[in-house]
Amino acid sequence: MSEFKQILVAIDGSEHAMKALETAKTLSKQLQGNLHLTVLHVNPTLSMNEPPVGIDVDERIEEEGRHILEPAADYLKDEGISYRMLAGHGDPASFICKIADQEKADLIIMGTRGQGLVSELILGSVSHHVIQHASCPVLTVK
Ligand code: ATP
Ligand code: MG
């Protein structure tokens, strides 16, 4: 078991993801200087069958990403935390696992649920997939 040095936080703009970020912030402050956070938002790939009329796809992806990542960056800044924000697009769960591998993340922190409509399930589909496929421990926050 390696030390927790590199942590990936996945956010989708939901309250649950905000709690995941809160947890990551608390951990970072406790382990100050020894931890690096990557905060990732993945924009689900826009369907090729429904081209957004009059809107540049890349621009829209960037715009939505900013909308979610900027408040998160504001929340982390001025606390002496080492972090970077990352935006991607594609299938969120696969993308989260891929970045976790690339960054050699020791831990992924995410919400149990997200932006999806209320359901009976404890876990959303993204957290479910990440828990199944990630090669590092996953901390889900509710
Ligand atoms: P579903 O999407 O299956 O309807 P849900 O939206 O309630 O259900 P998930 O999407 O699995 O639940 O969200 C659980 C957590 O996964 C979120 O709190 C967030 O941490 C992460 N997550 C979900 N979607 C994304 C995304 N697009 N980019 C980054 N992280 C995400
Ligand atoms: Mg979701």
Side-chain angles (χ1 to χ4, degrees):
M1 183 74 233
S2 55
E3 283 178 61
F4 293 116
K5 284 191 171 161
Q6 185 69 41
I7 294 186
L8 178 63
V9 191
I11 60 170
D12 64 349
S14 66
E15 277 299 307
H16 300 264
M18 196 57 212
K19 286 197 178 159
L21 194 65
E22 233 179 274
T23 303
K25 186 180 186 175
T26 303
L27 260 180
S28 303
K29 287 166 89 174
Q30 265 180 259
L31 301 173
Q32 216 162 24
N34 282 311
L35 201 66
H36 180 76
L37 290 186
T38 298
V39 182
L40 170 67
H41 172 66
V42 187
N43 202 304
T45 312
L46 300 167
S47 166
M48 295 310 280
N49 300 326
E50 308 164 32
V53 186
I55 301 171
D56 179 66
V57 176
D58 288 339
E59 228 169 70
R60 192 168 129 188
I61 286 171
E62 222 193 283
E63 175 77 33
E64 285 179 17
R66 250 204 315 274
H67 189 71
I68 289 173
L69 288 170
E70 270 177 8
D74 280 348
Y75 178 71
L76 293 175
K77 72 177 184 202
D78 305 328
E79 301 274 358
I81 296 170
S82 162
Y83 68 90
R84 77 176 177 116
M85 314 308 286
L86 190 62
H89 59 98
D91 173 62
S94 319
F95 204 95
I96 292 165
C97 292
K98 190 178 80 184
I99 295 297
D101 283 343
Q102 267 175 24
E103 305 245 295
K104 298 188 174 57
D106 305 300
L107 180 68
I108 298 169
I109 305 181
M110 63 197 305
T112 52
R113 305 279 336 207
Q115 290 280 35
L117 298 172
V118 183
S119 116
E120 301 291 298
L121 300 172
I122 295 168
L123 284 178
S125 59
V126 176
S127 42
H128 183 99
H129 182 102
V130 171
I131 289 167
Q132 268 188 317
H133 297 282
S135 40
C136 68
V138 180
L139 173 59
T140 57
V141 181
K142 63 176 181 178

